[in-house]
């Protein structure tokens, strides 16, 4: 078994607590579903948001999911590069798995599909 990183990103339409929490959960659930993982297999989740999002900590939403209470979570601000995608939430989910790097399914939702069109595919 090895540790693999699963990338994911999504966007919101406004800096609003409920939308940030909701879209964080939607993104995490897609990552979990597409990669067939469970919380017990997760080493940690690194969460970043662009500086224009400050209404809440997205980790709050993940901590409220049953079975995810003990998963280590860390929030940070994304590097503010000029011209980068605004209102973006990114996840790096580190998981223990037997899957190869090629078998990992990264998830890009909403406007974040522009970040990695090569990986932004339907289920």
């Amino acid at each position: 078994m090895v540790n693999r990183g699963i990338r994911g990103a999504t966007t919101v339409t406004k800096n609003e607590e409920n939308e940030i929490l909701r879209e964080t959960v939607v993104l995490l659930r897609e990552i979990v579903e597409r990669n067939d993982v469970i919380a017990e297999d997760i080493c940690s989740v690194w969460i970043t948001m662009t500086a224009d999002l400050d209404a809440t900590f997205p980790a709050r939403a993940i901590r409220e999911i049953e079975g995810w209470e003990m998963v280590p979570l860390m929030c940070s601000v994304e590097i503010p590069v000029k011209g980068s995608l605004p209102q973006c939430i990114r996840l790096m989910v580190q998981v223990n798995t037997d899957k190869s790097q090629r078998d990992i399914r990264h998830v890009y939702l909403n406007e974040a599909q522009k970040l990695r069109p090569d990986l932004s595919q339907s289920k």
Side-chain angles (χ1 to χ4, degrees):
M1 190 164 287
V2 295
N3 187 263
R4 301 266 185 226
I6 306 172
R7 285 291 315 269
T10 191
T11 56
V12 294
T13 58
K14 55 189 172 266
N15 182 27
E16 194 269 324
E17 180 179 1
N18 288 333
E19 187 175 0
I20 291 169
L21 296 175
R22 180 182 65 247
E23 291 302 322
T24 299
V25 170
V26 168
L27 177 58
L28 180 65
R29 289 186 192 279
E30 278 296 315
I31 289 170
V32 166
E33 181 180 320
R34 291 187 194 185
N35 290 282
D36 193 30
V37 297
I38 60 171
E40 188 64 27
D41 294 333
I42 306 297
C43 297
S44 63
V45 180
W46 185 260
I47 308 157
T48 66
M49 291 197 307
T50 49
D52 54 359
L53 298 178
D54 62 4
T56 190
F57 293 101
R60 281 183 47 216
I62 297 172
R63 282 189 195 103
E64 292 177 7
I65 299 172
E66 186 177 342
W68 286 77
E69 302 88 353
M70 299 306 294
V71 175
L73 307 171
M74 179 66 71
C75 293
S76 183
V77 177
E78 188 70 29
I79 298 169
V81 175
K82 287 183 182 180
S84 63
L85 185 65
Q87 298 179 308
C88 188
I89 303 164
R90 292 174 172 89
L91 301 181
M92 173 68 80
V93 179
Q94 293 181 272
V95 60
N96 292 317
T97 183
D98 290 322
K99 292 182 181 184
S100 72
Q101 196 74 286
R102 289 191 182 281
D103 291 331
I104 297 297
R105 299 291 167 242
H106 305 283
V107 179
Y108 293 84
L109 304 175
N110 300 325
E111 292 298 310
Q113 292 180 31
K114 295 174 184 175
L115 296 172
R116 290 296 305 264
D118 57 319
L119 299 177
S120 299
Q121 58 188 18
S122 300
K123 291 186 212 178

